Amino acid sequence: MKKKFLYSTLGIVALVALIFGMVRFISSGNTDNSNTTNKKTVHILTYANWNPFEYVKKGKIVGFDIDLIKLLSKKAGYNYTIKNVSWDSMFTQLQNKSADLGIAGITVTSDREKTYDFSNTYFVSRQSIVTKTSSNINSASDLKGKKVSVQTGSTGQEAAEKIFGKNSSNILKSSSGVTDQMVMHNQVVAAIGDDTSNKKFVQANPNSGLKVVQDDNEFSPEYFGIMFPKGSKYRNIYNKALKKAIKDGSYTKIYKKWFGIKPDVSALKNTD
């Protein structure tokens, strides 16, 4: 009888110890880096379909924006997660405050500022045109009456709408980042998009038969910013980190890595 009681008691103790151990294991597994640091984790969204700013290479998200946001998060003292989502989903999730910030070559516009907060400028760009080398497109005015492709919801779409009108049937919108390929496959005569990415695509595809046409009279400078939910506490924190990165040269190092030249940091707005 005593033996049975002893065995029963030992069994209960062992079961309790096992359950306690499992609870501790499960709890530690659900807490990011909880065993090494108490840093807060920020949840970052991107649209990784835009080389060289963000794209997927060998299963990993890489690019200028990605290196920059990792650097700024480190300077701000945060751990981070980076999730690749669609362009539209990035905007929706940030508006719903289900993520902390987004970075994907997002141009700061007065319309977007009604719904989101933005960091100070971290990159200056323009729109340009991709068309076939055999075409007679030499400026934006040459596009009138022809079909063009744009990324849905982009400033390239806005630029096209200024040329053709907002609801023009000449504007073909793509949500999958294949606007340049649409030119290659004769679906459109030209594509309008970010100049840096346009040049990168043409350089990476030397046999594509494409060229980049710039029109500084039609396309004004655009300023990229990190996007936050409205009223986010992270905006000022990341602005301070960006200022430090520009001042200590770490921003320039990343810029040169991806673009091969030194940036004109004097062109960046609101970095003081």
Side-chain angles (χ1 to χ4, degrees), residues 36-193:
T36 58
T37 179
N38 291 321
K39 288 182 180 179
K40 166 136 180 97
T41 299
V42 292
H43 300 288
I44 302 167
L45 302 179
T46 191
Y47 172 56
N49 200 13
W50 203 26
N51 184 350
F53 291 94
E54 45 275 311
Y55 61 103
V56 178
K57 182 178 181 181
K58 296 180 179 178
K60 292 185 177 182
I61 305 172
V62 297
F64 171 73
D65 282 356
I66 304 305
D67 281 357
L68 180 63
I69 204 64
K70 287 179 178 180
L71 172 69
L72 300 187
S73 297
K74 182 178 179 181
K75 285 185 178 295
Y78 295 132
N79 288 321
Y80 54 82
T81 63
I82 301 176
K83 185 178 181 182
N84 183 21
V85 298
S86 71
W87 179 259
D88 291 339
S89 178
M90 177 174 59
F91 282 80
T92 301
Q93 290 188 53
L94 288 172
Q95 186 175 3
N96 295 337
K97 300 186 176 181
S98 56
D100 296 311
L101 61 94
I103 187 167
I106 306 168
T107 302
V108 182
T109 67
S110 57
D111 188 54
R112 288 172 180 170
E113 286 181 310
K114 294 175 185 176
T115 309
Y116 308 93
D117 284 341
F118 286 89
S119 71
N120 294 337
T121 302
Y122 72 84
F123 192 90
V124 181
S125 182
R126 287 180 185 267
Q127 297 296 301
S128 64
I129 301 162
V130 172
T131 189
K132 291 197 171 183
T133 54
S134 58
S135 81
N136 58 357
I137 304 296
N138 297 305
S139 67
S141 61
D142 294 332
L143 296 174
K144 291 180 179 179
K146 299 177 174 63
K147 290 191 179 296
V148 301
S149 57
V150 297
Q151 171 71 35
T152 303
S154 68
T155 48
Q157 178 181 332
E158 293 177 10
E161 289 172 348
K162 287 180 182 178
I163 299 169
F164 296 96
K166 193 160 189 178
N167 298 310
S168 173
S169 60
N170 286 341
I171 302 173
L172 276 65
K173 303 168 190 174
S174 169
S175 59
S176 55
V178 294
T179 55
D180 293 338
Q181 289 92 327
M182 291 173 72
V183 181
M184 292 173 62
H185 297 300
N186 299 311
Q187 294 172 273
V188 293
V189 171
I192 300 176

